[in-house]
Amino acid sequence: MKCPPVLPTEVERLKALSEYGLGDERPLPSLDSVVRIAARMFDMPVAAVNMIGSDHVFFAASTGVGEVDMSRDVSFCAHAITQDSVMVVPDATTDERFHDNPLVTGSAGLRFYAGVPLLSANGLPLGALCVIDHKPHEDFSQDDRSRLRELANMAADRLELRRIEVSAERAVRLDVPQDVAACQDEAKELYRLANFDILTGLANRGRFFRQVEEALARPLPVAAVMIDLESFKDVNDTLGHAVGDYILQEVAHRLETSVRDTGIAARIGGDEFAILLYDVTDPQRASEISNAVNDAIARPIIIDDQEIRIAASCGVALAPLHTGNPVELLGNADLALFRAKTNRRGRSLVFEPSLRMEAAARRLYGMEIHRAVKEGEFLLVYQPQIRLSDGALTGAEALIRWRHPIRGLLTPAAFLPALERGPLAATVGSWVLDEACAQAALWRRNGMETFRMGVNLFAAQLRGSDFATEVIDTLEKHGLPPSSLELEITENIVLDHDDVVLEKLRDLRAYGIGIAFDDFGTGYASLSLLKRYPLTRIKIDRSFVDGMLVSEKDASVVRAILDIARAFDLETIAEGIEREPQRDGLLHQGCTEGQGYLIGKPMLAPHFAEAFDIAPPLPMKRAVMTG
């Protein structure tokens, strides 16, 4: 008896097999119908789907199988998975590979075997579908082999569905088909579920990744485009999920139409899509196509006579120009998408090597942030806020800085992105809140009875289940009234975790804490948020204040924001006031408060106290934080 050969990709094969969660005690019921059909179709007493482990074979499904030794070294299926086509053994007793096999010479009495490999989505042999008889068959025709291969495709589709759903720890339960045609229809449906997005009909994440791998293996010049819809969650929540689903379907249709002759489109998940463009070697051409896709998405969508507009950002990467590795290609496209969303919303950006260097720098920052937290390298500065009508100090905005041991004092632009995406954002946010409240309490006790402290929030803080309690406890700890604190939120924070955020902010507002909407007017969903969120103040973004004296459009935006604030009975504060005409114009138009370099730069607590004649500040605290 000859032992089955070892596959050259054995490690990868076994790793792929493990993803299906199968074993001796965990067969796959959805394959039962396949083996029963095989047994009936070929009039065989035994049919099975055998999965080939490292040293043993186990049944994923079988019919007519008794007690047999299924170690790998005696398994016919272990040989079958090494074949490119159906392996047929007409009479095992006359086959030099198997004539002395225990399955042939023992009580099992195996004489005939036909088996076809079952392949994973990426082409690795997992096991085999086989039919077996106790008598020889010399008449297993080419048509028979084709039908067995079709059943194997059906089994492979069901295995793929199992892999997708194994994380949910439940097998797929399917009715037993009544005939082969019904089974084939069922297999097509399983293939569709395993490879295509149910809502849009586009290729799903798994199929898209496989298409990328296949293209680069051939190899073909391609461009991968990752697409993210801007502020879709707000549209989905305000207009309803039915409308949101329709929008996703319409976007999918536009994507498919845009690349019908040049590539494939896929829905990666949620509001994320992707495109694979074939025969694209020029970054300019890829950029033109992706910009055209953006333009197509941006066209109005009419639903019940209501015009809805959706913007998208795209990240583009090319192979082999940027890489020949599928994983790295998609990673490059994601890096370009990240930059596009940060700097160029609504447009596309092509990958360049500097983006990977920036990503590496962000990862490095992530490691350094752990040290900064441990060593107390973060500190707060305070930018004064005044009442525009008389210049009286009303409060300050607490702003974080990083005293880096090598690079010196860093502003938030240098480290906040890495901090916000990392695991320590909530920890640092809690420290900022406590430090700022401690400082506000000292200044209120020393002459500034109505002083209000503004504190910027991280999204990670609002995800915490006890955030509202933490804020209230911090105020009580420092003996502060609720009116002394104003929490500043941005559009991105509330959109990312809408329902959870809304409940916490309502609790805090009910307690008496102020809620300010920062950078108002720079996002896409600001007006709808005003209706839902318990705001007390709008902060006019510095970009509009800076341009209001030279741009009628910016001046009109400022006037409109102030009108909106009055309509919603909200206070206003303008950021970035650097010149007296700006201050005077804002006051004339009804803005109540302001901050900016004309009033005062962000200052350490001692300098702030000296500038506004307040009692000496607290001793500088080390930012030692835990958890």
Side-chain angles (χ1 to χ4, degrees), residues 231-559:
S231 302
F232 175 76
K233 187 178 187 302
D234 185 61
V235 173
N236 203 39
D237 291 345
T238 56
L239 299 180
H241 291 283
V243 172
D245 287 349
Y246 179 84
I247 291 173
L248 291 175
Q249 291 171 331
E250 178 62 23
V251 168
H253 173 71
R254 295 180 183 187
L255 288 177
E256 199 166 32
T257 301
S258 298
V259 301
R260 180 171 294 153
D261 299 325
T262 57
I264 63 168
R267 184 185 179 203
I268 302 302
D271 58 357
E272 298 176 353
F273 294 83
I275 292 171
L276 183 64
L277 302 172
Y278 294 108
D279 296 322
V280 176
T281 59
D282 179 23
Q284 181 63 34
R285 176 58 180 156
S287 182
E288 290 172 357
I289 296 175
S290 60
N291 280 329
V293 166
N294 271 344
D295 292 340
I297 294 175
R299 293 198 310 268
I301 299 174
I302 308 301
I303 303 178
D304 296 332
D305 298 325
Q306 182 177 1
E307 183 178 289
I308 300 172
R309 292 182 179 270
I310 296 291
S313 296
C314 293
V316 184
L318 284 75
L321 177 64
H322 297 133
T323 180
N325 181 287
V327 175
E328 190 173 342
L329 177 70
L330 298 177
N332 289 346
D334 272 329
L335 290 175
L337 175 61
F338 175 81
R339 169 63 69 83
K341 292 170 63 176
T342 303
N343 297 343
R344 302 181 60 186
R345 286 192 171 196
R347 302 306 296 169
S348 65
L349 189 142
V350 177
F351 172 81
E352 53 189 39
S354 62
L355 296 181
R356 187 161 291 281
M357 295 173 63
E358 291 175 8
R362 288 195 296 269
R363 287 193 295 271
L364 179 61
Y365 265 134
M367 293 185 290
E368 288 193 316
I369 284 170
H370 280 268
R371 185 205 66 236
V373 169
K374 182 179 180 180
E375 300 298 328
E377 295 172 6
F378 290 117
L379 55 88
L380 293 185
V381 293
Y382 303 90
Q383 184 166 36
Q385 299 171 332
I386 66 166
R387 190 165 52 237
L388 294 179
S389 60
D390 59 6
L393 181 69
T394 57
E397 179 181 2
L399 300 167
I400 191 170
R401 297 290 187 267
W402 182 0
R403 195 184 298 279
H404 194 281
I406 298 174
R407 301 180 61 192
L409 191 64
L410 301 180
T411 61
F415 63 87
L416 271 190
L419 175 58
E420 290 173 332
R421 290 190 303 271
L424 296 176
T427 300
V428 175
S430 295
W431 170 80
V432 170
L433 177 67
D434 183 71
E435 182 81 354
C437 285
Q439 191 62 69
L442 178 66
W443 285 340
R444 286 176 71 98
R445 288 195 300 269
N446 289 275
M448 304 297 295
E449 292 86 355
T450 60
F451 189 89
R452 181 189 69 241
M453 184 67 77
V455 175
N456 295 277
L457 297 181
F458 294 120
Q461 291 175 270
L462 287 162
R463 289 196 294 268
S465 59
D466 57 350
F467 175 67
T469 300
E470 177 191 345
V471 173
I472 294 171
D473 288 348
T474 301
L475 289 175
E476 294 178 350
K477 169 185 174 182
H478 296 292
L480 289 172
S483 59
S484 66
L485 178 63
E486 186 171 81
L487 301 176
E488 299 189 10
I489 61 174
T490 61
E491 180 182 313
N492 287 338
I493 287 180
V494 296
L495 289 182
D496 284 345
H497 305 279
D498 190 41
D499 293 335
V500 175
V501 169
L502 184 57
E503 180 181 357
K504 291 180 173 65
L505 292 180
R506 283 175 174 166
D507 289 343
L508 292 169
R509 181 68 199 109
Y511 187 72
I513 295 168
I515 310 292
F517 198 174
D518 200 7
D519 300 334
F520 184 80
T522 61
Y524 295 94
S526 301
L527 291 178
S528 63
L529 293 175
L530 291 183
K531 297 193 303 182
R532 304 184 63 210
Y533 280 80
L535 303 174
T536 55
R537 188 183 308 275
I538 291 176
K539 301 193 75 174
I540 304 173
D541 187 68
R542 66 181 67 250
S543 62
F544 302 120
V545 173
D546 183 60
M548 62 180 291
L549 299 180
V550 295
S551 168
E552 178 55 33
K553 290 183 178 179
D554 284 342
S556 297
V557 170
V558 171
R559 289 194 295 270

Side-chain angles (χ1 to χ4, degrees), residues 12 65 78 81 154 232 278 291 301 503 564 570 609:
E12 292 87 346
V65 175
I81 66 171
M154 181 191 302
F232 175 76
Y278 294 108
N291 280 329
I301 299 174
E503 180 181 357
I564 290 171
L570 299 174

